[in-house]
């Protein structure tokens, strides 16, 4: 392999790195996780010009043709366009970070990048409430039922299968034996809850156990 061919291969690897960086840049415009890598990736991309320039100088010394001049011009145009676009994106992202705790960058169909600032509601973590336990005592049924219904049964975000799981965790002793044979499925939650209510919603026994 001639010296020029070796240099051309090295130049090709540099051009491939610039193409890969441009591909990353297009994805980073709509992916906040990738956008976080921008400073370090840009630092490496900037060095590509010096690498290309050094190799291209050697190629042109051995092959001073118009084709090699066009190679330099094409790479230079692509390089500066990509780096300029990257720095503009980085500058916009810095302004977003300074003005808002949360922001996102999307790309319109025409290729123009647009910044959307999203105001996130403040989330306050409430203290955990321990799930009540019920052992089958009639005098504890009403308080257990009301607390379990407010914490678990009335929560629309919980699927029925999870509600049944929590119900089984809450039951001990005689109460647990009532639903032990039921498989943990979404359909069985209503069945299990109704079995408990049928067993313990006995007003006469509740009154007797409170006397």
């Amino acid at each position: 392999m001639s010296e020029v061919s070796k240099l051309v291969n090295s130049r090709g690897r540099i051009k491939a790195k610039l193409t890969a960086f441009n591909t990353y840049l297009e994805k980073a415009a709509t992916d906040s996780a990738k956008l976080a890598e921008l400073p370090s990736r840009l630092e490496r991309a900037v060095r590509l010009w010096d690498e290309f320039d050094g190799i291209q100088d050697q190629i042109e010394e051995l092959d001073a043709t118009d084709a090699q001049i066009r190679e330099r011009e094409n790479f230079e145009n692509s390089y500066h366009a990509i780096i300029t676009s990257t720095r503009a994106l980085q500058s916009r992202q810095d302004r977003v970070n300074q003005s808002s705790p949360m922001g996102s960058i999307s790309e319109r169909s025409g290729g123009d990048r647009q910044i959307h600032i999203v105001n996130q509601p403040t989330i306050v973590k409430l203290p955990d409430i321990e799930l009540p336990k019920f052992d089958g005592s009639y005098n504890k049924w009403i308080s257990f039922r009301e607390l379990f219904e407010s914490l678990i049964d009335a929560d629309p975000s919980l699927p029925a299968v999870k509600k049944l799981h929590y119900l089984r965790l809450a039951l001990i002793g005689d109460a647990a034996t009532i639903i032990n044979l039921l498989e943990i499925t979404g359909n069985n939650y209503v069945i299990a809850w109704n079995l408990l209510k049928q067993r313990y919603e006995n007003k006469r026994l509740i009154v007797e156990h409170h006397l």
Side-chain angles (χ1 to χ4, degrees), residues 53-64:
D53 190 49
I55 290 177
Q56 187 63 22
D57 282 344
Q58 296 179 60
I59 293 175
E60 291 173 9
E61 287 178 3
L62 299 172
D63 182 18

Side-chain angles (χ1 to χ4, degrees), residues 24-35 89 104-108 113-114:
Y24 153 78
L25 186 63
E26 293 173 352
K27 294 179 180 179
T30 56
D31 187 332
S32 58
K34 291 186 179 298
L35 190 59
L89 175 60
S104 63
I105 298 178
S106 63
E107 186 163 321
R108 295 175 179 172
R113 293 182 180 87
Q114 181 182 22

Side-chain angles (χ1 to χ4, degrees), residues 115-129:
I115 297 176
H116 299 280
I117 299 176
V118 181
N119 293 322
Q120 297 291 338
T122 301
I123 299 176
V124 179
K125 187 179 186 303
L126 298 175
D128 294 333
I129 300 177

